[in-house]
Amino acid sequence: MRTEQNAFPQLLPHEESTHAGRLGVVFFPAFDWAISATHPEREERLLYTCDQLHEEGLFDIPGITEYRPNFTEQADLARAHFCLPNVAAVSTDSHLASAGAAVTAARLVLEKKADKAFALARPPGHHAMRVVHGNRGFCNINNEAVMVEYVRDHWPHPEGRPLRIAIVDTDVHHGDGSQDIFWNDPHTLFISLHQDGRTLYPGSGFPGECGGPGALGRTINIPLPPETADEGYLYAVKNAVLPILAEFKPDLVINSAGQDNHFSDPLANMRLSAQGYAALNRALNPDIAVLEGGYAIRGALPYVNMGICLALAGLPFEDIREPDWRPESVRQRPETSRCIAGICDKALRMYRRPPVRPTEGQEEDGWWTRRRHIFYDTDMLRESQHEGWRLCADCSGLGRIETSSERVARSLCILIPRHACPRCREEGAALAEKGHSSARYAHVLMIDHNKKEA
């Protein structure tokens, strides 16, 4: 593919959009894929959205264009994930198309065919972690992560410096998969606004989770109390997210645009409205949005998706109102507002003055290590991990993960990040060679992000 050395749009400062622009909507409803016939993540999840966007004439508006995704290759998935036992075992054509929708959206923006793009596709992906043994949280493949690696492979920054990318996850559930993938990446800022993990799956996403040893302060969690409404989300974006983005100065801003914090969603307890979603998106002003969750498939998704599209295009959205909307649906209690203000203050402090060492794990023989037990709730599968990051004064460090599950015997995964120093690259190659020659591991996988192939 052609590399666009000077393709980056002028992204900062990230201020509210006030004019109409070109919007590319990459639509892939995956009508032939579902976890089960009655599962919330099923075929008709985007059926009503498809009807609504066409019946309301969205694509008749000058500048708004519908696109179909290009399929990603399995090799693209292997740039973001260690798939065990292999990529084909944990993904389907629908996952290749959904990740491809995210990549297509990025290409539209970076090739300057659109000012902004929305990957309106399923299956979702933000619960898929670096290592993948199966499906958790309805997710096998992390679409945003595949897109980020594709962008970095094909659009290096024209000044030769690391590309700075911000992912703002507004799904009601903590984006634990995206957090895991970018945990030790100093060039990716991950911000998650979600319902407090003490009250909702996956039970994580607390302020102390602030990044790995080479990326402290690059993970920011904003856990919001149940019944947070439009007012609270907009406060968090304007008083925490936007100031952090302004200081980080990203080259590209991505919104993981989950919609399960709608007041009618059956899986959570928040009070966002369609207009609230649109106002949030207008304030955040991302370059690319990627659909994640959202399971009120008739009463919310068609209206929320329309609102997001209009907001991204810089068009009025104040007439959008879902059929079950009432003033009390989006009313927020004063104590909730006070709680959110305190959470946002803490998030700003965490970004500006992160701790000197991660709050997760411990130092062992020059490596920062953490042991984890991960449950794949969709597939009822348990994984054990021993993760380590080489503590390096010259780069963010070499990654090493030993993993096993009830499906796959002990395997070794080596990650050599972009801009790794020569010593970390050499040690990574040596660890992989030693693993291949050992009878200890069923599989040995290596991702070297300094090379174009996984």
Side-chain angles (χ1 to χ4, degrees):
M1 172 181 168
R2 179 168 53 92
T3 299
E4 300 267 347
Q5 291 288 343
N6 296 300
F8 291 102
Q10 297 298 313
L11 304 180
L12 287 174
H14 277 272
E15 299 172 350
E16 288 195 19
S17 176
T18 57
H19 64 280
R22 296 173 303 158
L23 172 66
V25 179
V26 187
F27 194 75
F28 178 71
F31 287 156
D32 61 345
W33 183 89
I35 291 175
S36 73
T38 58
H39 196 279
E41 181 49 64
R42 62 186 184 271
E43 291 100 324
E44 64 264 39
R45 183 172 163 234
L46 293 181
L47 177 63
Y48 296 97
T49 290
C50 180
D51 291 343
Q52 180 91 359
L53 298 186
H54 285 90
E55 288 174 6
E56 296 291 338
L58 180 74
F59 300 113
D60 297 329
I61 299 173
I64 301 181
T65 306
E66 183 179 9
Y67 295 87
R68 292 290 178 263
N70 294 318
F71 274 53
T72 56
E73 302 291 337
Q74 291 188 359
D76 296 321
L77 274 54
R79 294 290 281 164
H81 294 290
F82 296 110
C83 297
L84 290 164
N86 53 55
V87 173
V90 296
S91 65
T92 66
D93 284 348
S94 289
H95 294 99
L96 294 174
S98 190
V103 170
T104 301
R107 291 186 59 173
L108 289 172
V109 172
L110 292 173
E111 293 174 359
K112 300 185 179 179
K113 295 177 181 176
D115 300 311
K116 297 184 183 296
F118 185 12
L120 189 50
R122 55 178 290 272
H126 75 148
H127 293 305
M129 296 183 169
R130 177 70 74 183
V131 176
V132 177
H133 288 261
N135 185 300
R136 59 183 308 275
F138 315 163
C139 304
N140 289 71
I141 299 299
N142 193 301
N143 300 319
E144 290 88 334
V146 173
M147 174 177 64
V148 165
E149 300 306 341
Y150 191 94
V151 167
R152 286 183 163 142
D153 282 343
H154 293 87
W155 281 274
H157 195 278
E159 297 175 3
R161 66 168 174 79
L163 186 63
R164 296 167 73 85
I165 294 178
I167 300 173
V168 182
D169 190 323
T170 52
D171 190 280
V172 78
H173 303 94
H174 175 229
D176 56 343
S178 299
Q179 174 173 299
D180 177 69
I181 289 170
F182 299 109
W183 187 68
N184 202 48
D185 180 353
H187 310 301
T188 302
L189 171 67
F190 177 69
I191 303 175
S192 181
L193 299 93
H194 49 270
Q195 184 173 322
D196 192 321
R198 294 172 296 184
T199 66
L200 192 69
Y201 177 90
S204 56
F206 302 107
E209 300 166 29
C210 60
L216 290 164
R218 292 296 189 254
T219 294
I220 299 296
N221 283 297
I222 304 176
L224 300 170
E227 300 187 353
T228 295
D230 296 358
E231 171 192 347
Y233 271 92
L234 288 169
Y235 181 95
V237 168
K238 292 182 177 180
N239 291 278
V241 176
L242 293 184
I244 292 171
L245 288 176
E247 293 181 26
F248 181 67
K249 295 182 172 59
D251 299 298
L252 200 66
V253 175
I254 300 161
N255 176 208
S256 291
Q259 301 169 18
D260 33 14
N261 30 30
H262 189 267
F263 66 81
S264 67
D265 196 275
L267 301 188
N269 312 100
M270 297 304 226
R271 292 187 172 184
L272 258 179
S273 69
Q275 286 195 27
Y277 270 102
L280 182 156
N281 203 276
R282 179 68 57 83
L284 181 60
N285 191 24
D287 303 291
I288 303 161
V290 180
L291 179 67
E292 285 294 341
Y295 304 99
I297 61 177
R298 297 185 65 178
L301 264 67
Y303 305 93
V304 173
N305 284 316
M306 176 67 80
I308 291 175
C309 287
L310 293 175
L312 285 170
L315 297 170
F317 51 77
E318 288 75 18
D319 290 336
I320 295 178
R321 185 164 293 172
E322 50 275 70
D324 294 331
W325 184 91
R326 302 181 307 279
E328 58 268 26
S329 303
V330 293
R331 189 169 293 140
Q332 184 172 292
R333 295 178 298 172
E335 54 267 36
T336 300
S337 300
R338 290 191 293 270
C339 178
I340 293 169
I343 292 166
C344 290
D345 288 343
K346 183 179 291 186
L348 279 170
R349 290 196 302 271
M350 185 63 71
Y351 177 76
R352 291 168 176 165
R353 296 187 297 276
V356 297
R357 51 198 286 137
T359 56
E360 307 161 77
Q362 61 187 357
E363 184 175 351
E364 295 181 18
D365 300 323
W367 292 70
W368 190 267
T369 67
R370 54 179 184 169
R371 296 179 183 272
R372 300 191 298 163
H373 298 281
I374 298 165
F375 181 54
Y376 292 75
D377 52 287
T378 307
D379 285 348
M380 301 301 289
L381 182 70
R382 291 171 176 80
E383 176 197 0
S384 295
Q385 269 192 26
H386 184 197
E387 176 187 13
W389 287 92
R390 183 174 180 270
L391 299 174
C392 182
D394 300 317
C395 69
S396 57
L398 166 71
R400 179 182 186 277
I401 302 172
E402 285 194 356
T403 175
S404 63
S405 72
E406 292 141 330
R407 288 182 182 169
V408 179
R410 179 185 293 175
S411 298
L412 176 65
C413 304
I414 303 295
L415 177 64
I416 302 176
R418 295 174 201 273
H419 311 289
C421 69
R423 184 173 176 184
C424 282
R425 293 190 66 179
E426 291 171 6
E427 185 162 344
L431 285 172
E433 183 178 354
K434 183 178 179 181
H436 280 296
S437 63
S438 169
R440 185 179 184 187
Y441 301 111
H443 305 275
V444 177
L445 304 177
M446 184 169 75
I447 298 174
D448 184 350
H449 278 144
N450 298 277
K451 298 179 180 178
K452 285 298 179 71
E453 295 83 22

